[in-house]
PDB file of all heavy atoms in Angstrom:
ATOM      1  N   SER A   6      -6.991   5.568   7.041  1.00  0.00           N
ATOM      2  CA  SER A   6      -7.580   5.522   8.379  1.00  0.00           C
ATOM      3  C   SER A   6      -8.783   4.577   8.300  1.00  0.00           C
ATOM      4  O   SER A   6      -9.575   4.641   7.360  1.00  0.00           O
ATOM      5  CB  SER A   6      -7.988   6.912   8.850  1.00  0.00           C
ATOM      6  OG  SER A   6      -8.881   7.506   7.941  1.00  0.00           O
ATOM      7  N   TYR A  12     -19.891  -5.827  16.865  1.00  0.00           N
ATOM      8  CA  TYR A  12     -20.734  -6.007  18.042  1.00  0.00           C
ATOM      9  C   TYR A  12     -19.790  -6.194  19.232  1.00  0.00           C
ATOM     10  O   TYR A  12     -19.166  -7.237  19.386  1.00  0.00           O
ATOM     11  CB  TYR A  12     -21.633  -7.211  17.828  1.00  0.00           C
ATOM     12  CG  TYR A  12     -22.631  -7.522  18.911  1.00  0.00           C
ATOM     13  CD1 TYR A  12     -22.752  -6.772  20.073  1.00  0.00           C
ATOM     14  CD2 TYR A  12     -23.487  -8.602  18.756  1.00  0.00           C
ATOM     15  CE1 TYR A  12     -23.678  -7.082  21.036  1.00  0.00           C
ATOM     16  CE2 TYR A  12     -24.428  -8.926  19.724  1.00  0.00           C
ATOM     17  CZ  TYR A  12     -24.519  -8.165  20.868  1.00  0.00           C
ATOM     18  OH  TYR A  12     -25.441  -8.483  21.827  1.00  0.00           O
ATOM     19  N   GLN A  21      -9.752  -7.271  18.249  1.00  0.00           N
ATOM     20  CA  GLN A  21      -8.380  -7.313  18.752  1.00  0.00           C
ATOM     21  C   GLN A  21      -7.479  -8.135  17.828  1.00  0.00           C
ATOM     22  O   GLN A  21      -6.344  -7.742  17.543  1.00  0.00           O
ATOM     23  CB  GLN A  21      -8.347  -7.880  20.167  1.00  0.00           C
ATOM     24  CG  GLN A  21      -8.964  -6.970  21.195  1.00  0.00           C
ATOM     25  CD  GLN A  21      -9.038  -7.610  22.574  1.00  0.00           C
ATOM     26  OE1 GLN A  21      -8.577  -8.720  22.798  1.00  0.00           O
ATOM     27  NE2 GLN A  21      -9.637  -6.891  23.517  1.00  0.00           N
ATOM     28  N   PHE A  60     -15.913  10.527  11.405  1.00  0.00           N
ATOM     29  CA  PHE A  60     -15.760  11.655  10.494  1.00  0.00           C
ATOM     30  C   PHE A  60     -14.343  11.674   9.918  1.00  0.00           C
ATOM     31  O   PHE A  60     -13.362  11.686  10.648  1.00  0.00           O
ATOM     32  CB  PHE A  60     -16.061  12.977  11.209  1.00  0.00           C
ATOM     33  CG  PHE A  60     -15.954  14.167  10.301  1.00  0.00           C
ATOM     34  CD1 PHE A  60     -16.995  14.483   9.452  1.00  0.00           C
ATOM     35  CD2 PHE A  60     -14.812  14.950  10.280  1.00  0.00           C
ATOM     36  CE1 PHE A  60     -16.913  15.578   8.598  1.00  0.00           C
ATOM     37  CE2 PHE A  60     -14.710  16.042   9.439  1.00  0.00           C
ATOM     38  CZ  PHE A  60     -15.766  16.354   8.595  1.00  0.00           C
ATOM     39  N   GLY A  85     -23.200   6.731   9.299  1.00  0.00           N
ATOM     40  CA  GLY A  85     -22.301   7.867   9.498  1.00  0.00           C
ATOM     41  C   GLY A  85     -21.142   7.852   8.521  1.00  0.00           C
ATOM     42  O   GLY A  85     -20.748   8.891   7.978  1.00  0.00           O
ATOM     43  N   ALA A  86     -20.603   6.673   8.275  1.00  0.00           N
ATOM     44  CA  ALA A  86     -19.472   6.552   7.346  1.00  0.00           C
ATOM     45  C   ALA A  86     -19.878   6.880   5.913  1.00  0.00           C
ATOM     46  O   ALA A  86     -19.049   7.331   5.124  1.00  0.00           O
ATOM     47  CB  ALA A  86     -18.891   5.146   7.416  1.00  0.00           C
ATOM     48  N   GLN A 110     -19.322 -20.429   3.160  1.00  0.00           N
ATOM     49  CA  GLN A 110     -20.452 -21.114   2.528  1.00  0.00           C
ATOM     50  C   GLN A 110     -20.516 -20.851   1.027  1.00  0.00           C
ATOM     51  O   GLN A 110     -21.291 -21.477   0.323  1.00  0.00           O
ATOM     52  CB  GLN A 110     -21.776 -20.684   3.178  1.00  0.00           C
ATOM     53  CG  GLN A 110     -21.901 -21.098   4.627  1.00  0.00           C
ATOM     54  CD  GLN A 110     -21.827 -22.603   4.794  1.00  0.00           C
ATOM     55  OE1 GLN A 110     -22.557 -23.346   4.151  1.00  0.00           O
ATOM     56  NE2 GLN A 110     -20.934 -23.059   5.662  1.00  0.00           N
ATOM     57  N   TYR A 130     -21.244  -0.478  -4.257  1.00  0.00           N
ATOM     58  CA  TYR A 130     -20.326   0.402  -3.532  1.00  0.00           C
ATOM     59  C   TYR A 130     -19.451  -0.363  -2.533  1.00  0.00           C
ATOM     60  O   TYR A 130     -18.313   0.007  -2.295  1.00  0.00           O
ATOM     61  CB  TYR A 130     -21.095   1.504  -2.799  1.00  0.00           C
ATOM     62  CG  TYR A 130     -20.170   2.494  -2.137  1.00  0.00           C
ATOM     63  CD1 TYR A 130     -19.446   3.397  -2.911  1.00  0.00           C
ATOM     64  CD2 TYR A 130     -19.981   2.504  -0.762  1.00  0.00           C
ATOM     65  CE1 TYR A 130     -18.558   4.291  -2.328  1.00  0.00           C
ATOM     66  CE2 TYR A 130     -19.097   3.400  -0.170  1.00  0.00           C
ATOM     67  CZ  TYR A 130     -18.391   4.280  -0.962  1.00  0.00           C
ATOM     68  OH  TYR A 130     -17.501   5.161  -0.387  1.00  0.00           O
TER      69      TYR A 130
END
Side-chain angles (χ1 to χ4, degrees):
S6 57
Y12 183 0
Q21 291 175 3
F60 182 80
Q110 295 300 307
Y130 185 72

